[in-house]
Amino acid sequence: MSTISSRMAVAVHVLAYLAWRRDEPVTSERMAGSVNTNAVVVRRIMGSLRNAGLVSVQPGVGGGAQLAREPEDISLLDVYRAVEEKEELFALHAQPCHHCDIGSNIRQVLQGVFCQAHTAMQGVLGGVTIADVFRLVQQGKMHGGCGGAQAADAEAGMAHHA
């Protein structure tokens, strides 16, 4: 399965780190150390998060980034919308053959299916907050893959977001 991009994962990582360090501005270098990436990557993502009103950034000595909202008020859908360059989850191929029975109808069929999948993804992301992610990371409940996420959801009682 192909992935959208790592911007979403890095942004959630950074926001969870900021939730952990709520009382102090955090430099991009410190966040980059946690993500294990270059500080320039973090700064680019921070720009998108700042533009979306999710973080505030104080430049200069003693400056850094902090959450602009409470972790409970930042959904993963907010993060997705802030950092993904395109809202479209799936792309359709350009020009299928209109003389073919399949080619003449495939785009309309796929567009409907892809729209449903995108709506479902938005529903899931909208139901999880940075506070949820931070809590699960602190508990060490996430073990990767969909099975780990479902087990952690049940344990964390995330049904209150549904």
Side-chain angles (χ1 to χ4, degrees):
M1 176 185 266
S2 88
T3 58
I4 296 172
S5 78
S6 63
R7 286 188 303 272
M8 175 69 177
V10 171
V12 171
H13 186 139
V14 162
L15 291 168
Y17 191 91
L18 292 175
W20 181 45
R21 295 291 187 203
R22 291 282 294 159
D23 298 332
E24 60 184 297
V26 180
T27 66
S28 56
E29 288 78 13
R30 277 182 62 192
M31 289 181 275
S34 178
V35 176
N36 198 25
T37 192
N38 190 296
V40 172
V41 172
V42 170
R43 282 192 286 274
R44 279 191 202 124
I45 289 173
M46 291 301 293
S48 297
L49 296 173
R50 183 189 66 238
N51 291 342
L54 303 179
V55 298
S56 60
V57 178
Q58 302 161 344
V61 177
Q66 291 183 289
L67 294 178
R69 303 192 317 213
E70 292 299 315
E72 297 82 12
D73 296 330
I74 302 173
S75 74
L76 296 192
L77 182 57
D78 296 330
V79 180
Y80 174 76
R81 288 177 172 156
V83 300
E84 287 302 325
E85 292 175 1
K86 56 182 175 140
E87 185 69 19
E88 186 177 284
L89 185 60
F90 299 100
L92 295 170
H93 55 300
Q95 296 294 326
C97 177
H98 293 289
H99 304 292
C100 171
D101 290 343
I102 301 298
S104 63
N105 294 305
I106 193 73
R107 288 178 57 88
Q108 293 84 358
V109 170
L110 289 178
Q111 189 170 16
V113 172
F114 292 169
C115 181
Q116 289 175 353
H118 192 240
T119 300
M121 180 203 68
Q122 288 179 325
V124 171
L125 294 179
V128 180
T129 67
I130 293 300
D132 295 327
V133 171
F134 176 67
R135 183 173 42 258
L136 290 168
V137 169
Q138 289 295 99
Q139 294 172 356
K141 299 292 183 186
M142 296 304 277
H143 301 290
C146 287
Q150 291 167 351
D153 287 353
E155 289 182 39
M158 288 172 37
H160 68 279
H161 291 290

